[in-house]
């Protein structure tokens, strides 16, 4: 018998899966298009695509192709006298980066697709677990292994995301009104901790499954 909460979680996960699959498909089409025709045809409709979504518009300066990508910087500005130096740390933003290189555009799309595919894989593991929970079998065989995979998936995906952000940050280094922006590693410590917690929860489910099996053998 399915629980109401479990059924709701399954619907939410299904919606997330479908949206992620659509995003993956669109990025795949754009990747193939860019590899065959380059980015010049896309400039005619002023496309901006990235982690923050897709924006198709007519730019004020004319047609352009840009990517909306997450970046992470530390910034410093040197004033006069030296005592007026200022520093800003851990700046995070979605930066609109004009695209001049087809290689950068295609490579960035490939990175986004890899991260999206990783997210879809995690959702697929969650759907399996919540399906069993909704059926009233939280300690069903396989749940612990799926949760264990989710924990490692969260950790690995966060490391890949932080590496991608570092790459995009180095690719868009700039100065602004005397301030120098230096790329920095943007690894989510909270996300890593969440992944470790999920690994611990997997062990709880593994023990619960073992106790359930022992109980079924003694009956």
């Amino acid at each position: 018998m399915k629980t109401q909460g479990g059924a709701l979680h399954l619907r939410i996960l299904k919606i997330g899966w479908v949206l992620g699959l659509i995003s993956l498909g669109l990025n795949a089409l754009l990747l193939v298009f860019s590899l065959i025709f380059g980015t010049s045809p896309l400039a005619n409709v002023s496309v901006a695509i990235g982690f923050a979504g897709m924006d198709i518009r007519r730019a004020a300066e004319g047609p352009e192709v840009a990517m909306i990508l997450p970046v992470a910087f530390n910034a410093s500005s040197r004033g006069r006298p030296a005592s007026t130096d200022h520093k800003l740390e851990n700046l995070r933003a979605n930066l609109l980066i004009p695209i001049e290189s087809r290689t950068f555009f295609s490579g960035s799309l490939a990175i986004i697709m890899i991260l999206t595919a990783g997210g879809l894989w995690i959702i697929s593991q969650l759907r399996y677990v919540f399906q069993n929970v909704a059926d009233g079998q939280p300690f069903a065989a396989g749940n612990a292994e799926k949760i264990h995979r989710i924990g490692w998936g969260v950790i690995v995906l966060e490391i890949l995301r932080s590496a991608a952000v570092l790459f995009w940050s180095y690719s868009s280094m700039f100065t602004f009104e005397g301030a120098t922006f230096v790329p920095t590693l943007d690894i989510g410590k909270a996300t890593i901790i969440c992944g470790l917690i999920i690994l611990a929860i997997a062990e709880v489910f593994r023990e619960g499954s073992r106790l359930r099996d022992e109980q079924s053998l003694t009956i």
Side-chain angles (χ1 to χ4, degrees):
M1 180 178 179
K2 290 188 177 182
T3 62
Q4 185 175 0
L8 176 61
H9 292 149
L10 280 172
R11 285 196 291 269
I12 293 173
L13 287 173
K14 185 176 182 180
I15 292 172
W17 167 267
V18 171
L19 292 177
L21 202 59
I22 292 173
S23 174
L24 186 63
L26 289 174
N27 284 324
L29 288 175
L30 275 175
L31 176 60
V32 172
F33 185 90
S34 67
L35 290 174
I36 297 175
F37 302 105
T39 59
S40 298
L42 295 175
N44 295 327
V45 291
S46 301
V47 172
I49 185 171
F51 270 12
M54 181 183 292
D55 182 13
I56 301 178
R57 70 203 186 288
R58 178 64 61 181
E61 300 80 7
E64 66 176 8
V65 178
M67 298 197 82
I68 308 168
L69 299 171
V71 292
F73 293 104
N74 290 331
S76 62
S77 63
R78 186 172 300 279
R80 297 179 180 179
S83 60
T84 61
D85 290 0
H86 301 286
K87 292 184 178 181
L88 294 173
E89 296 184 350
N90 301 320
L91 300 177
R92 307 290 183 268
N94 287 322
L95 187 64
L96 185 66
I97 305 175
I99 301 301
E100 298 179 356
S101 168
R102 176 171 67 174
T103 301
F104 177 81
F105 183 77
S106 301
S108 295
L109 281 176
I111 291 172
I112 293 173
M113 288 176 61
I114 290 171
L115 295 177
T116 302
L120 287 173
W121 179 82
I122 290 176
I123 291 177
S124 70
Q125 306 301 300
L126 281 170
R127 290 178 68 183
Y128 177 90
V129 173
F130 275 104
Q131 182 65 61
N132 285 330
V133 172
D135 292 338
Q137 301 179 28
F139 298 114
N143 269 10
E145 184 62 29
K146 295 290 185 182
I147 296 173
H148 190 265
R149 292 177 184 176
I150 291 169
W152 279 114
V154 168
I155 293 172
V156 171
L157 199 61
E158 175 58 25
I159 293 173
L160 292 177
R161 186 203 65 83
S162 63
V165 171
L166 188 63
F167 166 70
W168 288 322
S169 300
Y170 269 107
S171 300
S172 59
M173 288 179 61
F174 60 93
T175 59
F176 180 73
E177 295 183 354
T180 301
F181 292 81
V182 180
T184 184
L185 186 63
D186 178 37
I187 189 163
K189 297 181 180 64
T191 303
I192 299 296
I193 291 173
C194 285
L196 294 174
I197 292 173
I198 293 172
L199 290 176
I201 292 173
E203 295 306 313
V204 173
F205 272 78
R206 196 186 306 278
E207 183 65 16
S209 179
R210 185 185 67 80
L211 292 174
R212 189 201 66 165
D213 291 341
E214 287 182 357
Q215 185 179 21
S216 64
L217 290 174
T218 57
I219 297 176

